[in-house]
Amino acid sequence: GESVGLHLPTLSVQEGDNSIINCAYSNSASDYFIWYKQESGKGPQFIIDIRSNMDKRQGQRVTVLLNKTVKHLSLQIAATQPGDSAVYFCAEDPGGSEKLVFGKGTKLTVNP
Amino acid sequence: DGGITQSPKYLFRKEGQNVTLSCEQNLNHDAMYWYRQDPGQGLRLIYYSQIVNDFQKGDIAEGYSVSREKKESFPLTVTSAQKNPTAFYLCASSISRGGSYEQYFGPGTRLTVT
């Protein structure tokens, strides 16, 4: 079965607002997590990753938070722009095998 | 798309025919992967290869075959045994760096079988 899932399949925000996309995972052995962005008809694009020995990691306008206690991962996008509209996937690597397990994705729509 | 090319972008085949999807990378990555994506779904792993001349089945390998004769190439054959071949196929490659790795994806091939 699939061990990575999403709390919401769709998220709609206003331009300029902050977005939070959530992901739950069930495999406590997972030690590496990645967020991907996929625009329509294209391959997923790496956004940010985090290892299990960290709680937070920041990139440009994005922050990933990892709560290992409740097996929860979130992606925060600051000042969301129309170009951020896409499907966002979380992925986990159970046990460092370099075989990622992907969630179903959350479709983010940014309204101008 | 990070130096990974997939061709063609769109592919149409008749039921019962085998079809081979191309994937080439110039990133010097050791590992390569094939995923299948269905509408509204996440990615499911078909096959992966961590080194030349070696590959392993993923979660949904039935009806598919691969080869890894060269580091830069990992073609996927969708055989007539695959019951629902119409899907978006994504190739990826990765390299480990200091305990983490990034998996880069190609642009995908949309296969339609009628």
Side-chain angles (χ1 to χ4, degrees):
Chain A
E2 191 170 352
S3 65
V4 180
L6 277 296
H7 290 305
L8 291 173
T10 61
L11 177 65
S12 184
V13 300
Q14 291 298 122
E15 183 177 358
D17 287 352
N18 295 334
S19 303
I20 300 176
I21 300 171
N22 295 305
C23 181
Y25 65 96
S26 59
N27 192 334
S28 57
S30 292
D31 60 357
Y32 183 61
F33 304 87
I34 307 175
W35 279 101
Y36 285 93
K37 172 186 179 183
Q38 186 178 26
E39 296 175 341
S40 181
K42 296 183 178 180
Q45 179 184 5
F46 176 96
I47 301 174
I48 192 168
D49 61 356
I50 188 167
R51 294 211 68 88
S52 58
N53 60 354
M54 303 172 70
D55 297 322
K56 178 179 180 179
R57 191 166 188 218
Q58 288 184 293
Q60 187 176 13
R61 280 201 308 118
V62 295
T63 301
V64 55
L65 298 177
L66 176 62
N67 185 331
K68 295 180 285 293
T69 302
V70 295
K71 300 192 190 74
H72 184 267
L73 191 69
S74 68
L75 177 70
Q76 300 178 0
I77 304 173
T80 314
Q81 303 167 0
D84 295 326
S85 294
V87 177
Y88 290 81
F89 293 97
C90 62
E92 64 175 318
D93 182 355
S97 64
E98 294 196 29
K99 285 172 53 182
L100 295 176
V101 176
F102 287 81
K104 287 188 170 64
T106 293
K107 183 176 181 180
L108 175 66
T109 301
V110 182
N111 301 307
Chain B
D1 294 304
I4 301 176
T5 57
Q6 291 184 244
S7 61
K9 189 171 178 63
Y10 298 96
L11 191 54
F12 299 89
R13 280 294 182 270
K14 294 289 186 184
E15 194 173 324
Q17 293 179 332
N18 291 354
V19 59
T20 298
L21 281 59
S22 168
C23 178
E24 302 279 330
Q25 54 103 357
N26 61 4
L27 301 167
N28 200 34
H29 287 176
D30 289 318
M32 297 187 73
Y33 309 78
W34 273 105
Y35 294 90
R36 171 187 172 131
Q37 186 176 33
D38 294 286
Q41 299 294 313
L43 281 66
R44 292 185 291 168
L45 183 64
I46 304 172
Y47 267 98
Y48 67 104
S49 168
Q50 293 180 315
I51 196 168
V52 174
N53 292 322
D54 187 49
F55 49 82
Q56 285 80 41
K57 293 181 179 179
D59 301 319
I60 55 165
E62 185 175 350
Y64 300 98
S65 66
V66 293
S67 64
R68 187 85 188 278
E69 297 176 1
K70 298 185 296 182
K71 188 175 186 178
E72 59 270 23
S73 179
F74 192 40
L76 173 74
T77 296
V78 184
T79 75
S80 56
Q82 169 50 233
K83 295 176 182 175
N84 296 297
T86 294
F88 189 48
Y89 290 88
L90 286 158
C91 179
S93 70
S94 70
I95 190 166
S96 296
R97 285 195 181 95
S100 66
Y101 64 94
E102 294 183 19
Q103 199 167 101
Y104 294 93
F105 284 85
T109 291
R110 188 166 297 280
L111 173 65
T112 302
V113 177
T114 58

